[in-house]
Amino acid sequence: MYKKLFAFDKKQKITIIGTDEAGRGSGVGAVFAAAVCFTNKNKDLIEKLVYLNDSKKVSKKHRDELYEIIKNETVNSIVSAGVDEIERINILKASLCAMRQAVENVQKLINCEDLIVLVDGNRQIPALQYPQRFIIKGDGTSASIAAASILAKVERDRYMLKLDEEFPQYGWANNMGYLTKEHMASIDKYGVSPYHRKSYLQKHFAKQEQLNLF
């Protein structure tokens, strides 16, 4: 699989920055975005990344291994947008803003204007001054996007584990903030934390209020 990802990037015949996000669908905490550029894409590095794929399809053990390699052997940036920003401008805009910042950070580091940005998903990044192409399921198509997905996923998972230490009653170490049945039951029992995205819970609480009328 990893060879197909790198073959796709090679076909672009231009410098690539890949970007992806993690945590957009979660009901808790920041959303994380990462951008990656392979500036030294040699055979040894590619072979080290044998497990590279969409982060959701990679085991935690291999994600952690890939994270260290990508962090140390690519030009990369990881940016987060916090709960306040998500609630203020909405999760889509917050995710795209974080992706733009990560891409711009990488561009400054590689100091290259002749490039294309490959964006995972079905939306382009607003106000980005470089040519870009969005790719649905890009984390399973492009090596650069897949690498960004690994960085964003691992960074966010580690962040959620720290939050779980502060609020263990919600089970964030297991659900990563996603609104599972058990997580919702904990919210009903303990209330919301400062890290919950309250806009994600509006329908739930509205339903609870309706039930309380009977």
Side-chain angles (χ1 to χ4, degrees):
M1 180 64 189
Y2 72 107
K3 291 183 178 179
K4 290 183 179 179
L5 299 176
F6 281 103
F8 177 87
D9 283 10
K10 187 176 181 180
K11 288 179 182 177
Q12 309 309 307
K13 297 181 179 179
I14 192 172
T15 299
I16 293 170
I17 298 176
T19 185
D20 198 4
E21 54 76 24
R24 184 170 152 184
S26 174
V28 176
V31 63
F32 282 71
V36 172
C37 180
F38 285 94
T39 54
N40 185 24
K41 196 163 34 181
N42 56 59
K43 183 178 179 181
D44 288 343
L45 175 57
I46 292 173
E47 290 301 321
K48 286 181 186 178
L49 297 172
V50 62
Y51 295 109
L52 185 63
N53 199 349
D54 171 358
S55 61
K56 297 183 292 295
K57 297 180 180 179
V58 180
S59 70
K60 181 183 182 304
K61 177 177 181 289
H62 289 147
R63 280 201 305 266
D64 288 340
E65 292 170 355
L66 289 166
Y67 175 91
E68 295 302 327
I69 297 167
I70 295 163
K71 277 287 287 182
N72 294 321
E73 301 196 39
T74 71
V75 179
N76 59 78
S77 175
I78 305 170
V79 174
S80 64
V83 175
D84 289 346
E85 184 175 1
I86 291 169
E87 295 291 78
R88 179 170 56 85
I89 64 174
N90 78 45
I91 184 60
L92 175 59
K93 290 180 181 178
S95 299
L96 293 172
C97 284
M99 292 167 88
R100 183 179 70 240
Q101 186 176 340
V103 167
E104 290 173 346
N105 290 345
V106 170
Q107 189 280 329
K108 289 176 184 176
L109 291 169
I110 64 175
N111 193 25
C112 175
E113 297 291 337
D114 187 20
L115 58 85
I116 186 169
V117 178
L118 301 183
V119 184
D120 182 64
N122 60 359
R123 302 283 184 120
Q124 289 193 338
I125 300 172
L128 187 67
Q129 62 179 324
Y130 309 106
Q132 59 181 302
R133 174 184 171 192
F134 68 77
I135 303 175
I136 297 171
K137 296 184 179 180
D139 43 11
T141 304
S142 160
S144 300
I145 297 178
S149 79
I150 293 290
L151 294 189
K153 169 70 172 167
V154 172
E155 196 77 15
R156 188 176 192 279
D157 283 357
R158 292 176 179 178
Y159 160 82
M160 288 304 304
L161 291 176
K162 290 180 181 178
L163 296 191
D164 180 73
E165 292 176 2
E166 188 175 353
F167 290 93
Q169 63 267 40
Y170 299 106
W172 293 339
N174 296 315
N175 60 50
M176 292 299 160
Y178 286 83
L179 299 175
T180 62
K181 183 178 179 180
E182 292 76 16
H183 188 180
M184 297 304 292
S186 296
I187 291 171
D188 288 339
K189 182 176 181 179
Y190 300 106
V192 296
S193 75
Y195 297 109
H196 277 101
R197 302 173 189 172
K198 295 178 179 62
S199 60
Y200 281 48
L201 299 167
Q202 288 177 350
K203 290 183 179 179
H204 175 72
F205 286 125
K207 183 178 179 181
Q208 294 294 86
E209 289 175 8
Q210 290 170 1
L211 290 174
N212 289 337
L213 293 176
F214 297 94

